[in-house]
Amino acid sequence: MWLIVREAARRISITAGVAGACVLPAAAQQAKPPVFSWDLSVGWIGMGDFQPVPGRVPPVTSDPKHPFVPNGGRGQPSYHIADLTNPNLKPWVKAIMQKDNDEVLAGKIAFTPSQSCMPSGVPGFLALGGNQNPYWFLQSPKEVAIMRASDSQVRHVYLDVAHSPDPKPSWYGESVGHYEGDTLVVDTIGLNTKTFVDNFRTPHSGKLHVVERWRMINDRQAMEVAFTVEDPEAFYEPWSGMRRFRRVSRPFEEEICAENNQQLFNYQIPVASKPDF
């Protein structure tokens, strides 16, 4: 008797499944979240600096008198020098950046997180991933890890949870996310003030709040992230930026930041004072 009941239940389940498959494939497909790196051999390399989002306050851009020339570009490579005529910068931000611009133009080596083995923060993390250093995504139902081989830096995005009431400030803050169709939406708060928001070394306050929207485009051959930055102590208005990435086939490899780099750049690279074993 039990075998007969179990077999009947199995047939009902199969019949319902087939019927459901006939009626709901489109809805089921829409509910399925995107897979950004279907294995750790698919990475994404950033292209250029932050671009403006139409209709939004734009990010800081390059000083037209001192255009940025990347390694491998046409002409002598140069550092990022910010255009300080940007009207969205609060006076204290502009003063810090003016001093930094002057020092770099006088011969100082411009700070970047990678050369100093420092975490890059958010949205500074979005400005990296160029120079053949991809991002990889590791996705699970509860978390998305966004990884770089360079410096072995990882961001953790926790899915479908609320922010903590008062998160302790940290290098990458507290990132919570959810999927909206084909887009991963990430909301980040709780960032410390030791990082910059872009390649132009633009500082921020502890009130920094960043919302990112990641999605694949061009038949999954490219990726785009559009983001909005809100910090009432550093900027008069929230501003938005966008960056695109191209897909590459490259396995994830751990890349340790070079020891003793501080002898060259002197940016106080973290060094262990004693062995940990």
Side-chain angles (χ1 to χ4, degrees), residues 144-216:
V144 176
I146 310 176
M147 308 178 295
R148 292 185 69 222
S150 181
D151 309 335
S152 302
Q153 296 200 27
V154 180
R155 286 184 59 195
H156 298 274
V157 179
Y158 301 99
L159 299 175
D160 302 318
V161 297
H163 275 300
S164 303
D166 187 19
K168 181 180 178 180
S170 60
W171 288 98
Y172 283 120
E174 182 181 79
S175 293
V176 300
H178 65 276
Y179 293 106
E180 292 182 3
D182 63 352
T183 301
L184 172 65
V185 182
V186 182
D187 188 294
T188 303
I189 59 174
L191 293 147
N192 67 32
T193 58
K194 300 177 182 180
T195 64
F196 301 114
V197 299
D198 54 25
N199 283 329
F200 294 98
R201 305 172 298 283
T202 305
H204 63 86
S205 79
K207 294 185 178 180
L208 180 63
H209 176 203
V210 184
V211 177
E212 308 155 64
R213 301 181 66 87
W214 295 83
R215 67 187 184 101
M216 289 180 290

Side-chain angles (χ1 to χ4, degrees), residues 34-88:
V35 178
F36 296 132
S37 295
W38 32 103
D39 59 44
L40 288 184
S41 68
V42 176
W44 304 92
I45 290 181
M47 299 183 291
D49 289 317
F50 294 157
Q51 299 299 309
V53 175
R56 306 283 185 85
V57 176
V60 171
T61 56
S62 186
D63 185 338
K65 296 180 182 179
H66 305 282
F68 172 66
V69 179
N71 289 327
R74 295 183 178 181
Q76 175 64 38
S78 62
Y79 295 117
H80 286 87
I81 301 297
D83 181 3
L84 298 183
T85 63
N86 188 315
N88 199 32

Side-chain angles (χ1 to χ4, degrees), residues 46-48 50 126-130 135 223-225 242-245:
M47 299 183 291
F50 294 157
L126 307 182
L128 306 177
Y135 296 107
M223 178 175 284
E224 178 183 274
V225 57
M242 177 180 65
R243 197 180 189 212
R244 288 186 174 173
F245 304 80

Side-chain angles (χ1 to χ4, degrees), residues 112-134:
T112 68
S114 293
Q115 73 192 16
S116 305
C117 305
M118 293 288 190
S120 51
V122 182
F125 186 87
L126 307 182
L128 306 177
N131 297 324
Q132 304 302 309
N133 290 315

